[in-house]
Amino acid sequence: MSCHKNILLLLFIVFVALPATAQKTAETEQILKTFHTISSHEILKFAEELSSDKYKGRLSGSPEYLHAAEWCASKFKEWGVLPANNGSYFQYFPNEYSEVFSKGSVTYSPKKNKEIQLLFSGDYLPGSNSASGTVSGNLVYVGYGITAPELNYDDYKNIDVKGKIILLESGIPYTKNDTTLAKWTPYAYHRYKFRNAVKHGAAGMLYIGKLANPNTVNLENFIYAHIDPKIAERIFSDGAKNYTEIKKELSEMKSPSFAFPENQKVTITAKTNYFPDAKACNVVGMIEGSDPVLKNEVIIVGGHLDGQGYLGEIFPSALDNASGVADILGAAKAFAHSEVKPKRTVLFILIGGEECGLYGSKFYAENPLFPVKKTILMVNLDMVGNGRGFHIANGKSFPELFSHFETVNNHYLHRKMAASEWRKNYGRPRSDASNFENAGITTFSLYTSESVFPVHYHQTLDKTDVLTPEIMEDAAKLLYLGILGIANDETIQVN
Ligand SMILES: [Zn+2]
């Protein structure tokens, strides 16, 4: 290189490159300043607010859910996160629901003149969508409760359930994730099983598997409750049946349905009120992109705001999913207060109706606030608040997006962070991400791994004391810096 060229290079560095670098350093400092304002203390407070008694477990459709949504919108407003739906923070959709007034009761008679009161929470939980009243009757086991003539399968074959109380399993007899599973998927829905039971004349039901589940349906006079598998085992042994063997037959698609002896009876009482015309909403806030062209492209960060509600006791739904919402709020506040704005637009969506059937995400997918073709990525957070590490589902398949999170983790968080590859799901969609994906949007699902506390999935014990605030702080930090990186990366193209 000649001396002349050297001087030119030097001049270039001094007058062109250096100011850009200096600007870059100042910008990075600003970003890191904001990054360090994200605090575990504050994020835990968000989760505590959402899990508090006043929102009664945030059952989608209920007035308490709408109050929780209003609280989130008020935070967006306070911080300067803009309303994303034509000046509104809310995107409403129909959401029928049932209010449960009490624990109700389940009484089991193993034989004549003997009655056992099942215990709330330990032995049974009321059905979220049970009809109101009392039902009493003999027991019939109907396995998965599926009638699928095209698959040559019928759990109700040669069995009379009219006026009886059925004992039902969740799930389907096929578990491999392939095209055969797709044929079984319509039968995997709780709603299908309920309707099929009523069609066959069942009067009531004990659903095996004890968890709060609003993803069912309110059917006229159909009263049901969920029971712990240990109660099912007891009922089987009283009826001189081996439950383990029966389940083995079930997994071999043998439909081992049968009627229990006449002297075994159950009485279920439920006190509920059904609201078929209720509505719920997604809460939508955004940070507008700063680049005149790239601002038309959007990155979505979402998580479901609704919980499992009240079944005679509150299900605080803290990990599932006050934690995810709290992480998102932490990141949204950082974005709003950050002096450095993202080039692309960032949309925060706190989703309603997840627990009762992914209603809110479906509504967004059908009524997107930004064109799907301009949506770079949707990151879904569900149960991100108990653990030591992170997992990003689909991350491995989109390295140009995932690398931004990886970089943040490697530089600042130092958590164990795994990623998995995208694969087609032939089964029943179980997450809000699936609705965004079906609309044609690339999705990441962020989870915490290596749980520190037991996970009380859909139980009354899902309280804030089983959250690990440090990982929530890091989740918000990961979102803030990772999303900012993606928003500013001009090499990224929409699919
Ligand atoms: Zn959840």
Side-chain angles (χ1 to χ4, degrees):
M1 197 186 277
S2 74
C3 176
H4 180 69
K5 273 190 182 162
N6 266 339
I7 287 169
L8 271 186
L9 183 67
L10 189 70
L11 285 175
F12 172 81
I13 289 169
V14 171
F15 292 103
V16 183
L18 263 189
T21 312
Q23 193 199 338
K24 194 120 202 154
T25 312
E27 214 179 89
T28 307
E29 261 173 32
Q30 283 297 339
I31 291 168
L32 287 179
K33 208 175 110 192
T34 307
F35 178 79
H36 290 297
T37 61
I38 296 173
S39 102
S40 60
H41 181 76
E42 190 176 36
I43 292 172
L44 182 63
K45 281 250 176 312
F46 298 153
E48 283 171 349
E49 166 76 21
L50 293 170
S51 309
S52 63
D53 288 359
K54 65 180 157 191
Y55 302 126
K56 229 176 160 183
R58 310 184 304 283
L59 180 67
S60 200
S62 72
E64 291 83 6
Y65 172 81
L66 293 174
H67 292 154
E70 279 157 20
W71 180 81
C72 293
S74 78
K75 296 318 264 183
F76 278 169
K77 192 172 180 196
E78 180 188 323
W79 301 328
V81 176
L82 301 172
N85 187 15
N86 293 316
S88 168
Y89 286 108
F90 306 105
Q91 189 183 36
Y92 287 98
F93 51 85
N95 194 145
E96 85 286 354
Y97 80 102
S98 305
E99 182 176 9
V100 176
F101 294 102
S102 76
K103 293 169 183 168
S105 64
V106 179
T107 311
Y108 167 55
S109 303
K111 55 184 177 193
K112 260 198 180 130
N113 304 323
K114 189 166 183 201
E115 277 194 348
I116 300 163
Q117 283 288 339
L118 299 192
L119 298 174
F120 171 87
S121 170
D123 297 341
Y124 83 97
L125 285 173
S128 294
N129 286 301
S130 177
S132 208
T134 295
V135 67
S136 203
N138 291 112
L139 286 160
V140 178
Y141 180 70
V142 294
Y144 290 119
I146 293 171
T147 306
E150 78 283 15
L151 295 166
N152 203 14
Y153 187 94
D154 188 4
D155 285 316
Y156 288 93
K157 194 171 62 188
N158 307 325
I159 198 98
D160 182 16
V161 298
K162 280 197 186 72
K164 306 280 169 51
I165 294 183
I166 56 165
L167 224 71
L168 184 80
E169 308 272 1
S170 64
I172 47 178
Y174 192 88
T175 49
K176 241 170 93 183
N177 186 40
D178 60 20
T179 47
T180 305
L181 177 63
K183 293 181 194 160
W184 286 95
T185 297
Y187 304 105
Y189 290 85
H190 307 293
R191 286 179 166 83
Y192 159 76
K193 292 174 179 234
F194 281 35
R195 291 196 172 105
N196 199 33
V198 168
K199 208 167 122 188
H200 284 87
M205 175 177 74
L206 293 179
Y207 207 177
I208 303 170
K210 193 202 63 188
L211 78 176
N213 184 7
N215 189 7
T216 55
V217 60
N218 190 304
L219 299 172
E220 216 181 334
N221 299 327
F222 190 60
I223 295 165
Y224 76 97
H226 302 268
I227 52 162
D228 194 276
K230 73 172 191 271
I231 299 298
E233 251 164 59
R234 156 102 213 243
I235 294 172
F236 276 87
S237 76
D238 289 339
K241 291 277 185 182
N242 183 328
Y243 189 29
T244 313
E245 259 169 40
I246 297 274
K247 278 208 289 197
K248 190 168 167 278
E249 285 180 36
L250 196 61
S251 70
E252 291 162 353
M253 300 197 188
K254 287 180 183 159
S255 298
S257 304
F258 67 92
F260 281 91
E262 286 283 312
N263 50 16
Q264 271 181 279
K265 279 188 193 316
V266 160
T267 301
I268 309 167
T269 296
K271 200 164 179 287
T272 62
N273 196 6
Y274 178 45
F275 296 90
D277 302 318
K279 60 177 183 170
C281 62
N282 298 323
V283 182
V284 286
M286 66 174 181
I287 301 292
E288 214 165 34
S290 60
D291 183 278
V293 177
L294 287 178
K295 70 186 269 191
N296 298 315
E297 296 179 1
V298 67
I299 298 141
I300 303 177
V301 184
H304 74 88
L305 171 63
D306 65 315
Q308 300 103 45
Y310 176 88
L311 296 175
E313 251 180 53
I314 293 171
F315 287 68
S317 313
L319 176 61
D320 183 12
N321 183 36
S323 67
V325 171
D327 300 338
I328 294 170
L329 290 176
K333 186 183 177 188
F335 267 105
H337 287 179
S338 175
E339 283 177 39
V340 182
K341 294 297 177 203
K343 289 180 182 170
R344 290 186 174 93
T345 297
V346 180
L347 172 68
F348 301 102
I349 172 165
L350 311 177
I351 302 166
E354 194 265 1
E355 298 289 5
C356 47
L358 313 180
Y359 292 172
S361 51
K362 185 162 185 281
F363 191 84
Y364 182 91
E366 287 165 359
N367 305 274
L369 299 174
F370 292 86
V372 163
K373 282 194 176 345
K374 297 270 181 193
T375 306
I376 303 269
L377 172 70
M378 188 271 175
V379 183
N380 190 48
L381 281 83
D382 200 348
M383 303 177 72
V384 188
N386 172 5
R388 295 192 183 89
F390 291 118
H391 182 93
I392 297 185
N394 295 351
K396 231 177 182 173
S397 299
F398 304 95
E400 73 285 6
L401 298 169
F402 177 66
S403 63
H404 286 280
F405 295 108
E406 213 173 20
T407 306
V408 175
N409 186 51
N410 291 344
H411 278 73
Y412 304 106
L413 305 176
H414 314 293
R415 296 282 186 174
K416 185 175 162 189
M417 190 155 92
S420 49
E421 260 175 61
W422 179 87
R423 59 184 203 133
K424 189 170 171 60
N425 172 30
Y426 293 96
R428 175 166 76 89
R430 302 283 304 267
S431 135
D432 281 328
S434 59
N435 280 324
F436 287 87
E437 190 177 300
N438 291 342
I441 296 170
T442 301
T443 68
F444 280 179
S445 291
L446 176 65
Y447 309 99
T448 34
S449 58
E450 300 181 348
S451 301
V452 175
F453 297 110
V455 174
H456 303 290
Y457 184 68
H458 288 215
Q459 307 297 327
T460 52
L461 286 175
D462 185 8
K463 299 177 178 177
T464 49
D465 58 5
V466 291
L467 298 179
T468 45
E470 301 79 11
I471 198 81
M472 294 169 72
E473 175 183 314
D474 282 3
K477 286 177 162 173
L478 186 69
L479 287 177
Y480 170 59
L481 270 196
I483 298 291
L484 188 62
I486 294 170
N488 292 346
D489 184 344
E490 293 178 19
T491 68
I492 293 173
Q493 309 246 319
V494 196
N495 285 346

